[in-house]
Amino acid sequence: MAVNIEKAENRQQTWPWLCIFAILAMTALVLRAQGRLWQCACGHILLWAGNVLSADNSQHLLDPYSFTHALHGFVFCGLLAWAAPRLAPMWQLCLAVLTEAVWEIIENSAYVIKRYREATAALGYEGDTIVNSLSDIALCGLGFVIAKQLGWRRSLALFAITELVLLWWIKDNLTLNVLMLIYPVAAIKKWQMG
């Protein structure tokens, strides 16, 4: 009897991970069908590309915008704790990953890439590589796990600190990114490009 319970518990932990793997695989296939490159056209993959104004931005594993994707995980953790409090944490994580994967597909659509070029300081933005998108999804998942561990107060504090550091460092953050995508402000764009 104890062996059957243990097997059932293992299956309960396995299914969300299989689901997450399937989401990542399907996202990669959809992004490739959209014309996204697997890796940077430069022919190699960097662990870190720190200059947001270079052609390497959004082309490698990590860049300053990776932190905003971790913050997506914080937001999804809070929303799912509110909207689906009885859902097992692993399935909440799965939903967060799915939501981020959908965003990566939308973010790399021709319409949104054009919108980024027109409305934000990302003038030469060509979209993400598949490697970068998968990394962004993983960072969202990591952000979700961190927020789950920290609780809402400490998560909120870390969220605010991260936003302020990004604002100082790259003149952009998650809040400004969303604002400029939805309702561009010329003065902010000028300051970001300054």
Side-chain angles (χ1 to χ4, degrees), residues 23-192:
I23 290 166
L24 292 172
M26 289 303 297
T27 302
L29 292 173
V30 171
L31 289 169
R32 187 65 189 124
Q34 285 180 325
R36 301 287 98 219
L37 297 175
W38 284 101
Q39 66 180 28
C40 177
C42 64
H44 60 276
I45 299 172
L46 298 175
L47 177 62
W48 175 256
N51 184 354
V52 296
L53 299 176
S54 77
D56 284 329
N57 192 54
S58 297
Q59 302 301 298
H60 299 281
L61 281 173
L62 302 168
D63 56 57
Y65 286 100
S66 299
F67 293 102
T68 66
H69 291 277
L71 293 182
H72 290 179
F74 279 54
V75 171
F76 297 152
C77 183
L79 289 174
L80 287 165
W82 170 76
R86 293 182 187 205
L87 188 62
M90 280 303 299
W91 286 111
Q92 288 180 344
L93 173 62
C94 190
L95 280 176
V97 167
L98 176 62
T99 306
E100 184 71 4
V102 169
W103 166 244
E104 283 296 321
I105 291 167
I106 293 169
E107 179 185 33
N108 286 285
S109 67
Y111 174 79
V112 175
I113 290 171
K114 182 179 177 208
R115 180 75 178 157
Y116 267 118
R117 283 193 213 137
E118 292 170 351
T120 73
L123 297 177
Y125 181 63
E126 296 290 332
D128 300 353
T129 61
I130 296 170
V131 165
N132 181 263
S133 288
L134 294 177
S135 175
D136 289 345
I137 296 167
L139 283 163
C140 172
L142 178 63
F144 178 95
V145 170
I146 290 169
K148 193 64 119 171
Q149 293 298 313
L150 290 178
W152 76 271
R153 286 186 182 147
R154 289 185 291 179
S155 293
L156 186 60
L158 184 55
F159 186 99
I161 290 167
T162 304
E163 286 284 84
L164 290 171
V165 168
L166 287 172
L167 189 64
W168 168 80
W169 179 25
I170 62 170
K171 295 185 178 181
D172 205 358
N173 59 25
L174 181 57
T175 305
L176 278 183
N177 203 293
V178 171
L179 172 69
M180 294 299 287
L181 200 55
I182 295 170
Y183 187 79
V185 178
I188 293 175
K189 184 174 179 179
K190 184 178 178 184
W191 171 73
Q192 286 178 319

